[in-house]
């Protein structure tokens, strides 16, 4: 139960006479009862009219009794209409479920909310939203509902507040703008239970599944333009914004503009519009799902990510694409973002336990997979190509991905390099390499990556080395290094940009013929049993 007292009478009288809907009147009277806002428009209007007719000398508050709202089934059985052919909001039902501008002679469009707390609270619109959600075929167990309102609503609300404040000031009563119930809040009070009942899941502010409605009102689009002249500093062009008249910019200007300047440009209370708002968009969006694992790369002709130069694709596929293609199909996602613990060159293999990776699947329709389904998905990826293999494929959280990047430069990696020398070598010529520990390198950004990496000198460590003699011009070098070490440059020296290097240590020209990553020592993601 909620009540209006005598101090609310001037607010009700003023707003009702200027075309404000009952729910907006309750907002300006600072009524916080959610159940009261869910009552039918006709009942609220009747209660407000009876409140005004009651004796002004009566000191006891007049109560607006709140009964339990009628169930959806009952409303649907009666077609959502009263005996006089109007719906619960007192508006004539429209053929397009309230999604377009409508002019009603029975009830004026509210001069403050522009019909949002009228037509768009009705069962027809709720069903339209739910049909959109169901047709999008998302998996979800709860939802969060968001609303995008046209910025001119803030101007109209400000105008209504100034008008009411002046009325209250004449009576010696204060009315702080912050005390008024926000339109979005009142709308969600009304719409949440209806959406929850229709969708069969609860509303939850922390849900990753979002249902959003974008409202617009073309008839009044220009109502905030005067603010750009009065407060030009508040309206600055921004990237990805089609108009400078964003809701936040308008609110900032309204906080800055003087009352007298506002009143020169805008009526208080605001005039009644002819048309309802338009529900421009009804959108669904699921929070991202994250999949992690480790991959082995067996090809020396496969880049980690698509290799495209000047718009031209150099190779037909990549590690990223071979893994993500199947994931995108199974999760029914809009897009993806691939990341990994380091990267290998196109001609480098990744062996051993593989390289940790994670994929963010954006706006997935399907989000629930059992461990067995993930195993089958992993097998499907592995069967699709002989160039890669995936292991330990699993669902992870966004926070867990951070472990893959934690202390990345402190991690170690092991490599196997096939090396050629111009001068003949014997076993004893390379034996000393086995005894070198914690060799400190200074590596200038390699010439081959200078186009995409800043020029810098990086200190890196070669922890251990072990050389295997093959013949007079070839040997294999096993290295354990600090992550981020450029191995190819350590072998050939990159024209002296990496010091020391294998060539300088052996006092001869050396080059690398093959390189394999044998391990990436990152203890993530967790190993799964077969």
């Amino acid at each position: 139960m909620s009540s209006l007292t005598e101090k609310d009478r001037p607010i009700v009288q003023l707003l009702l006479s200027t075309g404000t809907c009952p729910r907006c009147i309750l907002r300006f009277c600072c009524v916080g009862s959610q159940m009261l806002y869910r009552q039918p428009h006709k009942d609220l209007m009747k209660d407000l009219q009876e409140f005004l007719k009651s004796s002004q000398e009566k000191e006891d508050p007049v109560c607006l009794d709140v009964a339990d709202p009628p169930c959806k089934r009952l409303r649907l059985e009666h077609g959502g209409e009263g005996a006089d052919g109007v719906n619960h909001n007192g508006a004539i039902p429209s053929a397009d479920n309230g999604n377009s501008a409508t002019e009603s002679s029975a009830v004026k469009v509210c001069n403050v909310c522009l019909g949002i707390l009228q037509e768009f609270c009705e069962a027809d619109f709720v069903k339209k939203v739910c049909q959109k959600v169901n047709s999008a075929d998302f998996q979800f167990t709860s939802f969060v509902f968001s609303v995008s309102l046209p910025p001119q609503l803030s101007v109209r609300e400000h105008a209504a507040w100034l008008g009411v404040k002046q009325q209250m000031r004449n009576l010696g009563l204060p009315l702080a703008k912050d005390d008024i119930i926000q339109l979005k809040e009142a709308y969600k009070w009304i719409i949440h239970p209806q959406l929850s009942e229709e969708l069969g899941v609860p509303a939850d502010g922390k849900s990753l599944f979002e249902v959003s409605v974008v409202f617009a009102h073309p008839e009044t689009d220009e109502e905030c333009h005067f603010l750009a002249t009065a407060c030009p500093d508040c309206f600055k062009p921004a990237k990805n914004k089609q108009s400078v008249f964003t809701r936040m910019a308008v609110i900032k200007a309204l906080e800055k503009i003087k009352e007298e300047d506002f009143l020169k440009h805008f009526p208080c209370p605001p005039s009644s519009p002819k048309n309802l708002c338009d529900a421009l968009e009804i959108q669904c969006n699921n929070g991202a799902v994250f999949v992690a694992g480790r991959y082995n790369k067996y090809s020396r002709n496969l880049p980690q990510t698509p290799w495209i130069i000047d718009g031209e694709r150099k190779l037909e596929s990549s590690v990223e694409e071979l893994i993500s293609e199947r994931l995108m199909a199974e999760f029914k996602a809009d897009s993806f973002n691939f990341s990994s613990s380091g990267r290998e060159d196109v001609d480098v293999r990744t062996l051993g336990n593989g390289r940790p990776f994670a994929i963010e699947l954006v706006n997935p329709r399907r989000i629930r997979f059992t461990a067995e389904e993930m195993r089958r998905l992993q097998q499907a990826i592995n069967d699709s190509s002989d160039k890669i293999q995936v292991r330990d494929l699993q669902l992870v959280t966004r926070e867990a991905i951070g472990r893959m990047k934690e202390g990345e430069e402190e991690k170690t990696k092991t490599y196997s390099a096939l090396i050629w020398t111009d001068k003949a070598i014997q076993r004893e010529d390379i034996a000393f390499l086995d005894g070198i520990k914690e060799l400190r390198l200074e590596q200038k950004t390699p010439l081959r990556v200078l186009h995409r990496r800043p020029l810098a000198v990086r200190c890196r460590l070669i922890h251990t080395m072990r050389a295997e003699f093959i013949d007079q011009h070839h040997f294999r070098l096993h290295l354990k290094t600090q992550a981020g070490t450029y191995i190819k440059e350590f072998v050939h020296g990159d024209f002296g940009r990496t010091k020391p290097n294998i060539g300088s240590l052996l006092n001869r020209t050396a080059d690398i013929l093959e390189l394999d990553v044998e391990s990436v020592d990152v203890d993530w993601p967790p190993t799964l049993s077969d």
Side-chain angles (χ1 to χ4, degrees):
M1 175 179 289
S2 182
S3 62
L4 296 176
T5 61
E6 282 301 318
K7 70 179 180 62
D8 298 313
R9 184 181 299 277
I11 300 177
V12 177
Q13 202 158 21
L14 173 65
L15 294 180
L16 204 55
S17 67
T18 55
T20 304
C21 74
R23 292 182 178 115
C24 279
I25 292 173
L26 293 178
R27 293 195 302 115
F28 277 84
C29 290
C30 309
V31 174
S33 168
Q34 297 186 25
M35 290 300 296
L36 189 56
Y37 287 87
R38 295 169 191 161
Q39 294 297 95
H41 175 279
K42 288 200 304 180
D43 292 352
L44 290 173
M45 181 65 78
K46 181 180 177 182
D47 286 337
L48 289 176
Q49 289 169 345
E50 289 180 355
F51 170 67
L52 290 180
K53 289 178 183 178
S54 65
S55 171
Q56 294 189 15
E57 288 80 18
K58 188 175 181 181
E59 295 182 357
D60 294 333
V62 176
C63 295
L64 297 179
D65 292 329
V66 181
D68 290 335
C71 70
K72 175 173 70 74
R73 180 174 299 174
L74 183 61
R75 292 202 305 270
L76 293 177
E77 286 175 355
H78 291 281
E81 300 182 11
D84 55 357
V86 299
N87 59 28
H88 290 306
N89 281 329
I92 298 174
S94 56
D96 58 359
N97 293 332
N99 197 36
S100 63
T102 305
E103 190 170 351
S104 172
S105 58
V107 169
K108 288 183 179 180
V109 177
C110 177
N111 65 336
V112 178
C113 71
L114 301 176
I116 288 175
L117 295 184
Q118 295 173 297
E119 191 76 12
F120 296 100
C121 295
E122 280 299 298
D124 282 348
F125 183 68
V126 172
K127 289 181 71 175
K128 186 181 185 70
V129 172
C130 293
Q131 286 170 1
K132 175 73 173 180
V133 173
N134 292 330
S135 65
D137 197 28
F138 282 91
Q139 279 185 344
F140 58 95
T141 55
S142 61
F143 71 93
V144 60
F145 181 68
S146 66
V147 185
S148 176
L149 302 176
Q152 60 267 34
L153 275 181
S154 298
V155 178
R156 287 180 160 265
E157 184 136 323
H158 189 75
W161 171 67
L162 289 179
V164 170
K165 188 175 75 164
Q166 179 62 46
Q167 185 90 333
M168 300 299 282
R169 186 187 298 155
N170 294 338
L171 298 172
L173 298 172
L175 178 64
K177 193 173 183 179
D178 289 344
D179 292 336
I180 299 170
I181 303 298
Q182 293 296 308
L183 193 154
K184 279 188 178 182
E185 188 174 11
Y187 186 56
K188 290 178 182 180
W189 287 349
I190 301 164
I191 211 81
H192 271 174
Q194 298 184 67
L195 287 174
S196 184
E197 182 180 357
E198 195 74 29
L199 293 173
V201 296
D204 181 357
K206 295 182 180 180
S207 176
L208 295 178
F209 180 64
E210 180 185 34
V211 179
S212 61
V213 179
V214 178
F215 287 109
H217 195 255
E219 179 189 340
T220 57
D221 270 348
E222 297 182 0
E223 288 186 346
C224 19
H225 289 192
F226 75 92
L227 292 171
T229 303
C231 307
D233 292 345
C234 297
F235 300 93
K236 296 179 180 179
K239 293 181 180 179
N240 304 322
K241 298 291 184 182
Q242 294 181 347
S243 170
V244 296
F245 295 101
T246 63
R247 180 173 171 270
M248 293 308 298
V250 168
I251 290 174
K252 187 177 178 181
L254 291 173
E255 291 172 348
K256 191 174 181 180
I257 193 171
K258 296 179 180 178
E259 277 190 29
E260 55 268 28
D261 292 335
F262 183 90
L263 294 171
K264 289 176 184 177
H265 296 91
F266 207 86
C268 300
S271 58
S272 294
K274 294 181 180 179
N275 302 308
L276 285 167
C277 273
D278 293 333
L280 284 187
E281 297 178 15
I282 300 171
Q283 299 175 329
C284 303
N285 190 75
N286 232 343
V289 169
F290 298 87
V291 176
R294 286 175 173 263
Y295 72 80
N296 291 109
K297 171 176 170 289
Y298 302 120
S299 170
R300 296 196 187 278
N301 195 35
L302 183 70
Q304 188 194 62
T305 56
W307 191 6
I308 300 172
I309 301 176
D310 296 329
E312 181 181 350
R313 190 176 187 111
K314 296 301 180 181
L315 292 171
E316 65 178 16
S317 191
S318 64
V319 173
E320 172 187 294
E321 290 167 298
L322 290 174
I323 297 174
S324 64
E325 183 179 357
R326 183 66 63 143
L327 293 176
M328 284 282 290
E330 291 296 325
F331 282 82
K332 301 178 181 178
D334 286 350
S335 59
F336 71 93
N337 296 303
F338 181 91
S339 59
S340 63
S341 181
R343 60 186 298 142
E344 65 284 312
D345 291 337
V346 61
D347 58 349
V348 176
R349 297 186 302 177
T350 298
L351 308 176
N353 288 331
R355 185 185 297 278
F357 72 90
I359 293 183
E360 176 187 13
L361 294 155
V362 180
N363 197 26
R365 270 64 177 174
R366 187 180 176 190
I367 58 174
R368 295 190 293 273
F369 284 79
T370 65
E372 178 58 34
E373 287 174 326
M374 291 301 292
R375 279 194 290 270
R376 288 201 295 265
L377 183 51
Q378 174 178 295
Q379 189 60 49
I381 294 171
N382 292 339
D383 290 343
S384 67
S385 174
D386 59 0
K387 296 180 179 181
I388 66 161
Q389 290 281 288
V390 171
R391 69 182 68 200
D392 300 329
L393 195 69
Q394 57 196 277
L395 293 169
V396 296
T397 64
R398 182 189 295 272
E399 292 73 26
I401 291 178
R403 294 187 58 188
M404 184 174 69
K405 298 293 184 180
E406 283 176 4
E408 205 166 51
E409 291 193 357
E410 284 69 46
K411 302 296 183 183
T412 60
K413 297 182 181 180
T414 57
Y415 298 89
S416 172
L418 178 60
I419 298 173
W420 167 87
T421 60
D422 64 334
K423 296 178 182 178
I425 56 172
Q426 302 299 321
R427 292 182 187 276
E428 53 269 24
D429 294 328
I430 59 174
F432 75 98
L433 295 174
D434 294 6
I436 296 178
K437 311 293 182 186
E438 306 302 324
L439 178 65
R440 185 173 296 275
L441 310 181
E442 288 190 354
Q443 292 194 301
K444 275 188 181 179
T445 305
L447 293 172
R448 64 188 173 91
V449 300
L450 197 54
H451 66 285
R452 56 184 172 87
R453 295 281 175 87
L455 178 61
V457 176
R458 298 171 177 83
C459 293
R460 295 290 185 264
L461 287 175
I462 304 294
H463 298 299
T464 61
M465 289 187 285
R466 180 171 59 85
E468 289 182 8
F469 180 80
I470 297 176
D471 59 37
Q472 290 185 338
H473 290 280
H474 300 88
F475 70 97
R476 187 169 293 280
L477 185 65
H478 299 275
L479 310 94
K480 185 174 185 179
T481 75
Q482 179 184 356
T485 304
Y486 291 106
I487 304 302
K488 291 178 178 178
E489 283 67 27
F490 170 60
V491 172
H492 58 62
D494 197 25
F495 301 100
R497 297 168 69 86
T498 290
K499 298 177 181 178
N501 55 70
I502 291 297
S504 66
L505 292 172
L506 296 177
N507 195 26
R508 65 199 67 204
T509 299
D511 205 352
I512 187 165
L513 302 180
E514 291 180 354
L515 180 62
D516 292 329
V517 180
E518 293 192 330
S519 74
V520 180
D521 300 327
V522 177
D523 187 23
W524 188 89
T527 301
L528 301 179
S529 58
D530 293 335

